[in-house]
CSV table of all heavy atoms in Angstrom, one decimal:
chain,number,residue,atom,x,y,z
A,232,LEU,N,-12.5,12.6,16.5
A,232,LEU,CA,-13.2,13.8,16.0
A,232,LEU,C,-14.6,13.5,15.5
A,232,LEU,O,-15.5,14.3,15.8
A,232,LEU,CB,-12.3,14.4,14.8
A,232,LEU,CG,-11.0,15.0,15.2
A,232,LEU,CD1,-10.2,15.4,14.0
A,232,LEU,CD2,-11.1,16.2,16.2
A,233,CYS,N,-14.8,12.4,14.9
A,233,CYS,CA,-16.1,12.0,14.4
A,233,CYS,C,-17.1,11.9,15.6
A,233,CYS,O,-18.2,12.5,15.6
A,233,CYS,CB,-16.1,10.7,13.6
A,233,CYS,SG,-17.6,10.0,13.2
A,234,ILE,N,-16.7,11.2,16.6
A,234,ILE,CA,-17.5,11.0,17.8
A,234,ILE,C,-17.9,12.4,18.5
A,234,ILE,O,-19.0,12.7,18.8
A,234,ILE,CB,-16.9,10.1,18.8
A,234,ILE,CG1,-16.7,8.7,18.3
A,234,ILE,CG2,-17.7,10.0,20.1
A,234,ILE,CD1,-15.9,7.7,19.1
A,235,TYR,N,-16.8,13.2,18.6
A,235,TYR,CA,-16.9,14.5,19.3
A,235,TYR,C,-18.0,15.4,18.6
A,235,TYR,O,-18.9,15.9,19.2
A,235,TYR,CB,-15.6,15.2,19.4
A,235,TYR,CG,-15.6,16.6,19.9
A,235,TYR,CD1,-15.6,16.8,21.3
A,235,TYR,CD2,-15.8,17.7,19.1
A,235,TYR,CE1,-15.7,18.0,21.9
A,235,TYR,CE2,-15.8,19.0,19.7
A,235,TYR,CZ,-15.8,19.1,21.1
A,235,TYR,OH,-15.9,20.4,21.6
A,236,TYR,N,-17.8,15.6,17.3
A,236,TYR,CA,-18.7,16.5,16.5
A,236,TYR,C,-20.0,15.9,16.3
A,236,TYR,O,-21.0,16.6,16.3
A,236,TYR,CB,-18.0,16.9,15.2
A,236,TYR,CG,-16.9,17.9,15.4
A,236,TYR,CD1,-15.5,17.5,15.3
A,236,TYR,CD2,-17.2,19.2,15.8
A,236,TYR,CE1,-14.5,18.4,15.5
A,236,TYR,CE2,-16.1,20.1,16.0
A,236,TYR,CZ,-14.8,19.7,15.8
A,236,TYR,OH,-13.8,20.6,16.1
A,237,PHE,N,-20.1,14.6,16.2
A,237,PHE,CA,-21.4,14.0,16.0
A,237,PHE,C,-22.3,14.2,17.2
A,237,PHE,O,-23.5,14.6,17.1
A,237,PHE,CB,-21.3,12.4,15.7
A,237,PHE,CG,-22.6,11.8,15.4
A,237,PHE,CD1,-23.1,11.8,14.1
A,237,PHE,CD2,-23.3,11.1,16.4
A,237,PHE,CE1,-24.3,11.1,13.9
A,237,PHE,CE2,-24.5,10.5,16.1
A,237,PHE,CZ,-25.0,10.5,14.9
A,238,LEU,N,-21.7,14.0,18.4
A,238,LEU,CA,-22.5,14.1,19.7
A,238,LEU,C,-22.8,15.6,19.9
A,238,LEU,O,-23.8,16.0,20.5
A,238,LEU,CB,-21.8,13.5,20.8
A,238,LEU,CG,-21.7,12.0,20.9
A,238,LEU,CD1,-20.8,11.6,22.0
A,238,LEU,CD2,-23.0,11.4,21.0
A,239,ALA,N,-21.9,16.5,19.4
A,239,ALA,CA,-22.1,17.9,19.6
A,239,ALA,C,-23.2,18.5,18.8
A,239,ALA,O,-23.9,19.4,19.2
A,239,ALA,CB,-20.8,18.7,19.3
A,240,PHE,N,-23.5,17.9,17.6
A,240,PHE,CA,-24.4,18.5,16.7
A,240,PHE,C,-25.7,17.7,16.4
A,240,PHE,O,-26.6,18.2,15.8
A,240,PHE,CB,-23.7,18.8,15.3
A,240,PHE,CG,-22.7,19.9,15.4
A,240,PHE,CD1,-21.3,19.6,15.4
A,240,PHE,CD2,-23.0,21.2,15.6
A,240,PHE,CE1,-20.4,20.6,15.5
A,240,PHE,CE2,-22.1,22.2,15.7
A,240,PHE,CZ,-20.7,21.9,15.6
A,241,ILE,N,-25.7,16.5,16.8
A,241,ILE,CA,-26.7,15.6,16.4
A,241,ILE,C,-28.1,16.0,16.9
A,241,ILE,O,-29.2,15.8,16.2
A,241,ILE,CB,-26.5,14.1,16.8
A,241,ILE,CG1,-27.5,13.2,16.1
A,241,ILE,CG2,-26.5,13.9,18.3
A,241,ILE,CD1,-27.5,13.3,14.6
A,242,SER,N,-28.2,16.6,18.1
A,242,SER,CA,-29.5,17.0,18.6
A,242,SER,C,-30.1,18.2,17.8
A,242,SER,O,-31.3,18.4,17.8
A,242,SER,CB,-29.3,17.4,20.1
A,242,SER,OG,-28.5,18.5,20.2
A,243,ARG,N,-29.2,18.9,17.1
A,243,ARG,CA,-29.7,20.1,16.3
A,243,ARG,C,-29.9,19.7,14.9
A,243,ARG,O,-30.9,20.1,14.3
A,243,ARG,CB,-28.7,21.2,16.4
A,243,ARG,CG,-28.7,22.0,17.7
A,243,ARG,CD,-27.7,23.1,17.7
A,243,ARG,NE,-26.3,22.6,18.0
A,243,ARG,CZ,-25.2,23.4,17.9
A,243,ARG,NH1,-25.3,24.6,17.5
A,243,ARG,NH2,-24.1,22.9,18.3
A,244,ILE,N,-29.1,18.9,14.3
A,244,ILE,CA,-29.2,18.6,12.9
A,244,ILE,C,-30.0,17.4,12.6
A,244,ILE,O,-30.5,17.3,11.5
A,244,ILE,CB,-27.8,18.5,12.2
A,244,ILE,CG1,-27.1,17.3,12.7
A,244,ILE,CG2,-27.0,19.7,12.4
A,244,ILE,CD1,-25.8,17.0,12.0
A,245,GLY,N,-30.2,16.5,13.6
A,245,GLY,CA,-31.0,15.3,13.3
A,245,GLY,C,-30.3,14.3,12.4
A,245,GLY,O,-29.1,14.5,12.0
A,246,MET,N,-31.0,13.3,11.9
A,246,MET,CA,-30.4,12.3,11.0
A,246,MET,C,-30.6,12.6,9.6
A,246,MET,O,-30.1,11.9,8.8
A,246,MET,CB,-31.0,10.9,11.4
A,246,MET,CG,-30.8,10.5,12.8
A,246,MET,SD,-29.0,10.1,13.1
A,246,MET,CE,-29.0,9.6,14.8
A,247,LEU,N,-31.4,13.6,9.2
A,247,LEU,CA,-31.7,13.8,7.9
A,247,LEU,C,-30.5,14.0,6.9
A,247,LEU,O,-30.5,13.4,5.8
A,247,LEU,CB,-32.6,15.0,7.7
A,247,LEU,CG,-33.2,15.3,6.3
A,247,LEU,CD1,-33.9,14.1,5.7
A,247,LEU,CD2,-34.0,16.6,6.2
A,248,PRO,N,-29.5,14.7,7.3
A,248,PRO,CA,-28.3,14.8,6.4
A,248,PRO,C,-27.7,13.5,6.1
A,248,PRO,O,-27.2,13.2,5.0
A,248,PRO,CB,-27.3,15.7,7.2
A,248,PRO,CG,-28.2,16.5,8.1
A,248,PRO,CD,-29.3,15.6,8.5
A,249,PHE,N,-27.7,12.6,7.1
A,249,PHE,CA,-27.1,11.3,6.9
A,249,PHE,C,-28.0,10.4,6.0
A,249,PHE,O,-27.5,9.6,5.2
A,249,PHE,CB,-26.8,10.6,8.2
A,249,PHE,CG,-25.9,11.4,9.1
A,249,PHE,CD1,-26.5,12.1,10.2
A,249,PHE,CD2,-24.5,11.5,8.9
A,249,PHE,CE1,-25.6,12.9,11.0
A,249,PHE,CE2,-23.7,12.3,9.7
A,249,PHE,CZ,-24.3,13.0,10.7
A,250,VAL,N,-29.3,10.6,6.2
A,250,VAL,CA,-30.2,9.8,5.3
A,250,VAL,C,-30.1,10.2,3.9
A,250,VAL,O,-30.0,9.4,3.0
A,250,VAL,CB,-31.7,10.1,5.8
A,250,VAL,CG1,-32.7,9.4,4.8
A,250,VAL,CG2,-31.9,9.6,7.2
A,251,ILE,N,-30.0,11.5,3.6
A,251,ILE,CA,-29.8,12.0,2.2
A,251,ILE,C,-28.5,11.5,1.7
A,251,ILE,O,-28.5,11.1,0.5
A,251,ILE,CB,-29.9,13.6,2.2
A,251,ILE,CG1,-31.3,14.0,2.6
A,251,ILE,CG2,-29.5,14.1,0.8
A,251,ILE,CD1,-31.4,15.5,2.8
A,252,TYR,N,-27.5,11.6,2.5
A,252,TYR,CA,-26.2,11.1,2.0
A,252,TYR,C,-26.2,9.6,1.6
A,252,TYR,O,-25.7,9.2,0.6
A,252,TYR,CB,-25.1,11.4,3.1
A,252,TYR,CG,-23.7,11.0,2.7
A,252,TYR,CD1,-22.9,11.8,1.9
A,252,TYR,CD2,-23.2,9.8,3.1
A,252,TYR,CE1,-21.7,11.4,1.5
A,252,TYR,CE2,-21.9,9.4,2.8
A,252,TYR,CZ,-21.2,10.2,2.0
A,252,TYR,OH,-19.9,9.8,1.6
A,253,ARG,N,-26.9,8.8,2.5
A,253,ARG,CA,-27.0,7.4,2.2
A,253,ARG,C,-27.7,7.1,0.9
A,253,ARG,O,-27.3,6.3,0.1
A,253,ARG,CB,-27.7,6.7,3.4
A,253,ARG,CG,-26.8,6.6,4.6
A,253,ARG,CD,-27.5,5.8,5.7
A,253,ARG,NE,-27.7,4.4,5.3
A,253,ARG,CZ,-27.3,3.3,6.0
A,253,ARG,NH1,-26.7,3.6,7.2
A,253,ARG,NH2,-27.5,2.1,5.6
A,254,LEU,N,-28.8,7.9,0.7
A,254,LEU,CA,-29.6,7.7,-0.5
A,254,LEU,C,-28.7,8.0,-1.8
A,254,LEU,O,-28.8,7.3,-2.8
A,254,LEU,CB,-30.8,8.6,-0.5
A,254,LEU,CG,-31.9,8.2,0.6
A,254,LEU,CD1,-33.0,9.2,0.5
A,254,LEU,CD2,-32.3,6.8,0.4
Side-chain angles (χ1 to χ4, degrees):
L232 291 172
C233 172
I234 295 170
Y235 176 85
Y236 284 107
F237 186 84
L238 291 175
F240 292 107
I241 191 58
S242 61
R243 282 180 280 174
I244 66 174
M246 298 293 180
L247 184 58
F249 304 103
V250 174
I251 293 173
Y252 181 80
R253 288 182 68 125
L254 296 179

